[in-house]
Amino acid sequence: AQKITQTQPGMFVQEKEAVTLDCTYDTSDPSYGLFWYKQPSSGEMIFLIYQGSYDQQNATEGRYSLNFQKARKSANLVISASQLGDSAMYFCAMRDFSGGYNKLIFGAGTRLAVHP
Amino acid sequence: EAGVAQSPRYKIIEKRQSVAFWCNPISGHATLYWYQQILGQGPKLLIQFQNNGVVDDSQLPKDRFSAERLKGVDSTLKIQPAKLEDSAVYLCASRTTGELFFGEGSRLTVL
């Protein structure tokens, strides 16, 4: 069965510094996709970045980048130049094709606090 | 483009009462999901619709939860009777291809 593990319940970082949020996954499918979502206190899940298993390059979106290490089955999110507005819950998710339809399975999340 | 709309945002009920949540997905999105997010946990899929048909309800507690998606657009999730452990945020999401787009969620408190 597919599984996503986020081992850091909470992280803090100083404003303007970089931070890495860990995510490891387990799947037997050769084709898969990995997502990161941000959930501020308002509750909405905001899509940040996507990495496909066959993508040759690590994904980047503005200040977000994904450190994808396929052999280690890890897909860590790197946030550069942290801002106070980055304080939120962050979820790693994997696309699951079982049953023939796409769905996402999520990790438990990491709460990030950015300090001024 | 309008996002995924959900209502109500908040609901407080007594155990054994019933509650219904409504979701209006992004226009044209064929796939609709309901997730349950218990405090401190990641979202867990309850049910997935493709147009108006259910394609995955393996984690839906069918003795108390039901959901429908009439005409392949809006969806309603119902809980009857509610238990204390149903206290959670119920997130609706929709997609065509690529990422899921989520609504702001409906927060349920069962007393």
Side-chain angles (χ1 to χ4, degrees), chain A residues 83-101:
Chain A
Q83 302 172 355
L84 296 178
D86 294 335
S87 294
M89 284 290 293
Y90 288 81
F91 291 95
C92 181
M94 172 183 289
R95 187 171 56 209
D96 180 356
F97 286 108
S98 60
Y101 292 93

Side-chain angles (χ1 to χ4, degrees), chain A residues 13-62:
Chain A
V13 65
Q14 288 294 125
E15 193 178 8
K16 299 180 185 177
E17 292 186 347
V19 63
T20 298
L21 306 182
D22 294 341
C23 173
T24 58
Y25 59 91
D26 190 19
T27 180
S28 56
D29 291 337
S31 176
Y32 52 89
L34 295 154
F35 298 75
W36 277 91
Y37 280 82
K38 173 184 178 181
Q39 188 177 43
S41 57
S42 60
E44 186 175 359
M45 299 283 278
I46 302 168
F47 166 73
L48 296 178
I49 196 167
Y50 168 79
Q51 179 85 42
S53 57
Y54 293 122
D55 293 343
Q56 296 297 314
Q57 307 250 350
N58 284 348
T60 61
E61 288 286 349

Side-chain angles (χ1 to χ4, degrees), chain A residues 35 37 39 42-45 47 91 101-108, chain B residues 9 33 35 37 41-43 45 48 55-56 95 99-100 102-104:
Chain A
F35 298 75
Y37 280 82
Q39 188 177 43
S42 60
E44 186 175 359
M45 299 283 278
F47 166 73
F91 291 95
Y101 292 93
N102 277 308
K103 58 180 176 283
L104 291 186
I105 55 170
F106 287 83
Chain B
R9 286 294 315 277
Y33 309 81
Y35 280 84
Q37 186 178 16
Q41 299 181 17
L45 180 69
Q48 178 180 352
V55 299
D56 187 345
R95 71 183 286 272
E99 75 268 24
L100 273 64
F102 284 84
E104 291 185 307

